[in-house]
Amino acid sequence: MTTYLILGVVGLVVLAVSLLVGDVFDGLLDGALDGFGGDWFSTEVVGGFVSALGFGGAIAVSAGAPGPVAVVVGLVVGTAFAWMAAKLTRLVRGAGTDEAPAAADVIGHEAIVLSDIPDAGFGTIRVYVGGHTLRYNASADLGLEAGARVHVTSVLSPTAVTVAPMWSELPPTDD
């Protein structure tokens, strides 16, 4: 059981070190294991595998499992955690982007009318998406004045959208 606990602690140390200086170790590890595939041998994945193998094996031993069964349990748990670590690492590394949002990304967002939108014509709106300020030509079913809050409902072209007014609360009635 002690061996499994030591493996678990070593894995946690590898995970902690990868959080602090992960880029340095990933560079070393990637250079040594170029032929094996990127995310599967990152320090996060190796640390997650080793710690889960150790703690999974320790739990199996403490539950009364014989040595070979504890090893299999540790390997299964370690593989599951390594898979999750690889997925999370890929998700986090791929999250940031400097690309400007496309017109389809503004559907459903709130916008402000910059220039009046006539009944049978176009005006302009400003919408904020993902930290970007975008400006589009806009049409609506009914005329809207500058300053009105609207909701983007569809895309007509890469530079034009349709909008609908935002509903506001009804004023109280005097009954």
Side-chain angles (χ1 to χ4, degrees):
M1 180 154 166
T2 304
T3 304
Y4 291 116
L5 291 175
I6 290 171
L7 281 173
V9 170
V10 166
L12 289 178
V13 168
V14 170
L15 282 172
V17 168
S18 74
L19 288 174
L20 299 174
V21 288
D23 292 338
V24 173
F25 288 118
D26 275 344
L28 293 173
L29 199 54
D30 289 344
L33 301 168
D34 277 338
F36 292 107
D39 289 338
W40 286 106
F41 290 99
S42 67
T43 52
E44 296 87 2
V45 172
V46 171
F49 174 78
V50 172
S51 64
L53 179 138
F55 292 129
I59 290 170
V61 167
S62 69
V69 173
V71 170
V72 170
V73 168
L75 288 171
V76 168
V77 172
T79 302
F81 272 77
W83 179 81
M84 286 187 285
K87 288 288 190 184
L88 289 173
T89 300
R90 210 172 292 133
L91 177 71
V92 169
R93 287 184 182 163
T97 180
D98 291 334
E99 286 185 31
D105 296 332
V106 302
I107 295 174
H109 285 272
E110 183 178 337
I112 301 290
V113 176
L114 297 177
S115 63
D116 293 347
I117 302 174
D119 287 339
F122 285 90
T124 57
I125 62 160
R126 179 182 58 221
V127 61
Y128 298 105
V129 178
H132 296 271
T133 303
L134 304 171
R135 189 173 178 168
Y136 288 97
N137 296 319
S139 69
D141 290 338
L142 31 125
L144 296 166
E145 295 180 0
R149 292 177 44 220
V150 294
H151 180 81
V152 180
T153 57
S154 67
V155 175
L156 299 172
S157 74
T159 60
V161 296
T162 58
V163 296
M166 297 289 287
W167 294 102
S168 58
E169 283 188 37
L170 295 174
T173 58
D174 296 330
D175 287 329

